[in-house]
């Protein structure tokens, strides 16, 4: 919540209120059917609590580059389809957003890469890919004394 307040203040200080829209939760079906993603230039998520982030994957499927923070599961797969910032580092987050906006060729390249990555999760293979990613995370980041609980649905 604190980061969101800082981002709103930053948007105001840069006089970007007419160009930036902060939205609350959008029901999944509305997100897909509304065309909102097609109207966007960039997927930005400062969430420190988002686990995998299907909304981010759907944005990637719409060729949207992503700007994320390290704490998100999506940052494990975004690759060259976006930029990842250190958690709680607003300056890095801001610079990553500006880097993409100031470089249309980079934005286009990242968007194509985001789409390529998202395609790997289509046609029912997404669950298998997610399980593979979780296993990789467990092997590299979670010690034997810790447990990882996955909640779905």
């Amino acid at each position: 919540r604190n980061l969101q307040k800082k981002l709103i203040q930053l948007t105001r200080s840069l006089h970007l209120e007419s160009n930036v829209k902060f939205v609350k939760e959008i029901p999944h079906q509305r997100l897909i059917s509304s065309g909102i993603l097609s109207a966007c230039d960039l997927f930005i998520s400062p969430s420190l609590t988002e686990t995998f982030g299907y909304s981010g994957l759907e944005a990637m499927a719409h060729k949207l580059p992503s700007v994320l923070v390290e704490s998100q599961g999506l940052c494990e797969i975004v690759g060259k389809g976006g930029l990842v910032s250190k958690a709680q580092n607003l300056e890095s987050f801001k610079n990553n957003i500006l880097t993409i906006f100031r470089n249309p060729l980079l934005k286009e390249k990242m968007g194509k890469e985001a789409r390529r990555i998202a395609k790997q999760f289509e046609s029912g293979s997404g669950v298998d890919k997610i399980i593979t990613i979780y296993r990789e995370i467990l092997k590299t980041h979670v010690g034997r004394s810790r447990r990882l609980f996955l909640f779905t649905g």
Side-chain angles (χ1 to χ4, degrees):
R1 203 73 171 128
N2 190 30
L3 185 56
Q4 182 181 6
K5 286 181 183 178
K6 289 180 180 180
L7 289 171
I8 290 170
Q9 289 172 348
L10 178 63
T11 301
R12 288 181 182 144
S13 71
L14 295 172
H15 307 288
L16 295 173
E17 299 94 334
S18 63
N19 299 87
V20 176
K21 174 100 173 138
F22 289 91
V23 294
K24 296 187 187 227
E25 184 177 340
I26 299 172
H28 181 261
Q29 202 54 27
R30 181 170 175 242
L31 178 70
I32 300 304
S33 65
S34 67
I36 290 172
L37 290 175
S38 297
C40 296
D41 294 308
L42 186 62
F43 178 77
I44 301 170
S45 179
S47 176
L48 298 173
T49 59
E50 184 77 39
T51 53
F52 182 72
Y54 279 108
S55 58
L57 194 57
E58 288 165 350
M60 290 171 69
H62 282 82
K63 295 185 177 180
L64 297 179
S66 299
V67 175
L68 310 167
V69 293
E70 272 184 342
S71 66
Q72 298 182 31
L74 189 61
C75 73
E76 297 285 335
I77 65 158
V78 75
K80 294 182 181 180
L83 298 174
V84 179
S85 305
K86 295 277 185 198
Q88 299 291 343
N89 187 333
L90 187 58
E91 192 67 22
S92 169
F93 198 71
K94 175 189 83 169
N95 288 336
N96 283 342
I97 293 167
L98 293 174
T99 295
I100 295 173
F101 274 130
R102 290 177 176 159
N103 190 336
L105 293 176
L106 176 65
K107 179 182 172 287
E108 183 180 344
K109 185 177 177 181
M110 285 181 160
K112 287 179 182 177
E113 180 63 11
R115 175 67 181 133
R116 186 194 67 74
I117 293 167
K119 275 187 167 186
Q120 297 173 21
F121 291 85
E122 290 178 352
S123 304
S125 67
V127 172
D128 294 333
K129 299 269 186 198
I130 292 169
I131 290 171
T132 300
I133 289 169
Y134 281 139
R135 285 185 178 142
E136 289 173 15
I137 292 169
L138 283 171
K139 285 180 189 174
T140 57
H141 299 294
V142 179
R144 291 183 183 194
S145 63
R146 296 183 185 163
R147 293 185 181 156
L148 177 67
F149 295 90
L150 304 177
F151 298 92
T152 60

